[in-house]
Amino acid sequence: QVQLVESGGGLVQPGGSLRLSCAASGSILGITAVGWHRQAPGKQRELVAIITSDPRTKYADSVKGRFTISRDNRKSTVYLQMNSLKPEDTAVYYCNAATTYGGFWGQGTQVTVSS
């Protein structure tokens, strides 16, 4: 089992920045990739960014050049640095860990971009 705890969400003005954190605990040695997903009201959950164990990264077209995913292995934490935020980035952001024995989700953190 893997436990994930997201933090760092909040209210920010358009053009602002936030850094989300996803702290992992439990059987973390089995993690092969960690992704950030988001779900806006009335919309399907979508993948925003993912980092693998290699590590390689991949981003949704809508956030390329604005968001950066990174990790700190010593802290067992994955970060999502979000710059130049737009109102359409408003959503609940979820962390997901893919392992050799299944996937695990965090509880989510709300990001609201509004003036």
Side-chain angles (χ1 to χ4, degrees), residues 84-103:
S84 302
L85 283 161
K86 305 175 182 180
E88 50 264 43
D89 295 318
T90 295
V92 178
Y93 283 71
Y94 298 90
C95 179
N96 172 271
T99 74
T100 54
Y101 46 87

Side-chain angles (χ1 to χ4, degrees), residues 11-32:
L11 174 64
V12 64
Q13 292 186 340
S17 298
L18 282 175
R19 188 177 79 159
L20 305 183
S21 298
C22 173
S25 60
S27 301
I28 61 174
L29 292 180
I31 295 176
T32 58

Side-chain angles (χ1 to χ4, degrees), residues 97-110:
T99 74
T100 54
Y101 46 87
F104 299 89
W105 291 92
Q107 83 287 350
T109 185
Q110 176 71 46

Side-chain angles (χ1 to χ4, degrees), residues 6-86:
E6 301 101 330
S7 61
L11 174 64
V12 64
Q13 292 186 340
S17 298
L18 282 175
R19 188 177 79 159
L20 305 183
S21 298
C22 173
S25 60
S27 301
I28 61 174
L29 292 180
I31 295 176
T32 58
V34 175
W36 282 99
H37 302 247
R38 66 186 181 188
Q39 187 166 20
K43 295 188 177 181
Q44 288 189 331
R45 191 172 297 189
E46 62 174 351
L47 176 65
V48 175
I50 189 168
I51 185 166
T52 66
S53 56
D54 299 30
R56 290 174 294 166
T57 59
K58 186 176 181 180
Y59 298 91
D61 288 343
S62 59
V63 306
K64 280 182 182 176
R66 299 189 298 122
F67 290 12
T68 302
I69 190 169
S70 63
R71 69 184 191 189
D72 184 335
N73 290 335
R74 294 173 302 172
K75 297 182 179 180
S76 301
T77 300
V78 172
Y79 302 99
L80 185 67
Q81 178 66 44
M82 305 186 296
N83 299 328
S84 302
L85 283 161
K86 305 175 182 180

